[in-house]
Amino acid sequence: PNREPFKCDVELCEKKFSTPHALKYHKTTHIDENDPEKAKMKRPYVCETCGESYLRPQSLKNHVKTHTESKEARQKFKCEK
């Protein structure tokens, strides 16, 4: 049986999930990049260095390391700003 039957229907996103709740939560990560105010509401944790925003505080914490830590950390989280 398929262990991840719930597939994201956003174009170019191929993620699949095992529960409808997980899929619903994932969909909140897709934002309208052309509407910055809407983006801030969905992703309230914003990097003070580059303006990149995140849904969860831990994601922002990991991202901030790309500005302060080694080249390895920057590559792991892929921020070129």
Side-chain angles (χ1 to χ4, degrees):
N2 187 351
R3 293 182 182 206
E4 296 181 325
F6 302 95
K7 184 181 182 312
C8 182
D9 59 0
V10 174
E11 188 175 348
L12 300 177
C13 183
E14 298 181 3
K15 294 195 176 202
K16 296 177 184 176
F17 301 90
S18 58
T19 66
H21 175 75
L23 173 61
K24 183 178 178 181
Y25 181 77
H26 162 75
K27 283 188 170 187
T28 67
T29 66
H30 292 291
I31 61 170
D32 183 355
E33 298 294 339
N34 297 320
D35 186 347
E37 289 306 310
K38 190 175 181 182
K40 285 180 188 174
M41 291 180 353
K42 282 194 174 185
R43 294 185 176 190
Y45 302 98
V46 181
C47 177
E48 293 178 4
T49 303
C50 69
E52 194 76 25
S53 60
Y54 295 89
L55 186 65
R56 297 185 277 295
Q58 186 61 45
S59 298
L60 173 61
K61 185 177 177 181
N62 290 338
H63 167 79
V64 167
K65 292 177 184 179
T66 68
H67 298 295
T68 60
E69 292 189 357
S70 68
K71 184 177 179 181
E72 276 184 16
R74 287 192 300 274
Q75 288 175 340
K76 181 178 179 182
F77 297 105
K78 298 181 177 84
C79 183
E80 302 298 327
K81 295 181 182 179

